[in-house]
């Protein structure tokens, strides 16, 4: 596969196809607080950065903790810590998946964004993905849409314990649904640049606060 390169993908890429799955939200209120962090593959390949995901997740959780305190002065320190831990876990899982499954043949930055509302926090992570991994992820999404996520979560934990994690187990996504009552959605886009196609996936996680 040829290398697809762009320094400004939002303006140069053309949309060829869009598919949406799950509880995906396209538009957000303009007055929401938000934070966007980008990871460019220019200096270090994205897959070599996964060890730093914990540091990035810590930063994001610490940043958002400020808003948890100011949103409700009556909230207890224990509740703040629970929210902070949830943000850290979900951010870390999303970043690990994004770095792990980014398409190395495509020069495309990974971006993670957060939109904070009075009663919810919405995560957005966008990364490139090769067609084979996109196909596997779509099959997994369709599986959790037609089956009980709690049953799948239990079965996947058993499988991981017996065989170890192989490829895209989806355990992190199932944990977000079952342990944090999060709602998930995905948006796949096939984009064209200079007569070459590339695929991106945006994973959205809606977390009630």
């Amino acid at each position: 596969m040829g290398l697809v390169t762009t320094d400004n993908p939002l303006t140069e890429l053309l949309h060829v196809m869009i598919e949406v799955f799950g509880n995906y939200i396209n538009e957000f209120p303009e007055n929401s607080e938000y934070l966007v962090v980008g990871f460019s593959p220019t200096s270090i390949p994205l897959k070599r950065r996964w060890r730093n995901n914990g540091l990035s997740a810590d930063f994001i959780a610490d940043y958002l903790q400020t808003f948890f305190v100011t949103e409700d002065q009556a909230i207890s320190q224990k509740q703040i810590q629970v929210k902070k831990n949830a943000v850290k876990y979900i951010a870390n899982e999303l970043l690990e998946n994004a770095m792990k499954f980014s398409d190395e043949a495509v020069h495309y930055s990974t971006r993670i964004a957060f939109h904070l509302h009075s009663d919810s926090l919405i995560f957005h992570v966008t990364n490139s993905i090769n067609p084979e991994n996109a196909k596997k992820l779509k099959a997994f999404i369709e599986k959790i849409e037609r089956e009980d996520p709690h049953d799948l979560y239990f079965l996947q934990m058993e499988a991981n314990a017996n065989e170890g994690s192989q490829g895209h187990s989806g355990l992190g996504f199932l944990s977000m649904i079952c342990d944090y009552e999060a709602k998930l959605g995905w948006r796949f886009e096939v984009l064209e640049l200079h007569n070459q196609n590339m695929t991106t996936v945006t994973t959205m996680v809606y977390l009630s606060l």
Side-chain angles (χ1 to χ4, degrees):
M1 179 181 293
L3 182 69
V4 178
T5 304
T6 176
D7 294 327
N8 193 354
L10 296 179
T11 57
E12 297 180 17
L13 294 169
L14 300 175
H15 292 265
V16 177
M17 185 179 71
I18 297 174
E19 290 180 282
V20 175
F21 297 83
N23 298 285
Y24 192 86
I25 300 172
N26 281 305
E27 298 181 359
F28 302 94
E30 293 182 356
N31 59 352
S32 64
E33 295 285 348
Y34 68 91
L35 170 69
V36 181
V37 181
F39 302 88
S40 171
T42 53
S43 56
I44 301 175
L46 292 174
K47 290 185 179 180
R48 287 171 50 190
R49 299 190 186 192
W50 68 271
R51 293 181 179 84
N52 296 328
N53 291 337
L55 295 175
S56 301
D58 283 343
F59 164 74
I60 291 163
D62 286 340
Y63 177 83
L64 291 175
Q65 180 181 0
T66 304
F67 295 96
F68 296 154
V69 175
T70 55
E71 286 279 320
D72 186 352
Q73 296 294 337
I75 194 168
S76 71
Q77 287 300 315
K78 183 177 180 179
Q79 289 174 298
I80 292 173
Q81 191 61 44
V82 169
K83 291 181 178 181
K84 182 179 176 182
N85 290 342
V87 169
K88 180 179 176 181
Y89 175 80
I90 292 172
N92 189 59
E93 286 293 323
L94 291 174
L95 283 172
E96 280 194 0
N97 277 335
M99 302 300 182
K100 185 176 180 181
F101 293 103
S102 288
D103 187 351
E104 290 185 323
V106 175
H107 192 90
Y108 189 82
S109 298
T110 292
R111 298 185 303 278
I112 186 166
F114 308 87
H115 292 259
L116 181 64
H117 305 277
S118 59
D119 60 350
S120 63
L121 175 63
I122 300 174
F123 302 72
H124 259 192
V125 177
T126 301
N127 58 278
S128 61
I129 186 170
N130 69 43
E132 182 63 26
N133 281 328
K135 183 179 179 181
K136 291 178 181 176
L137 179 54
K138 289 176 187 176
F140 172 76
I141 294 167
E142 290 170 351
K143 190 173 184 179
I144 62 175
E145 286 184 335
R146 68 173 181 266
E147 299 184 26
D148 185 339
H150 292 83
D151 291 342
L152 292 175
Y153 188 27
F154 178 74
L155 292 173
Q156 192 59 55
M157 284 194 292
E158 276 195 331
N160 280 22
N162 294 330
E163 305 168 8
S165 178
Q166 298 290 328
H168 202 300
S169 72
L171 192 61
F173 291 147
L174 291 169
S175 175
M176 293 176 204
I177 296 171
C178 298
D179 295 332
Y180 297 96
E181 299 182 344
K183 297 179 181 177
L184 275 62
W186 292 266
R187 175 186 170 104
F188 291 86
E189 295 181 72
V190 178
L191 307 167
E192 180 184 320
L193 176 70
H194 303 155
N195 296 320
Q196 293 190 60
N197 286 351
M198 61 172 287
T199 302
T200 66
V201 57
T202 299
T203 302
M204 193 212 77
V205 178
Y206 179 99
L207 182 68
S208 295
L209 297 177

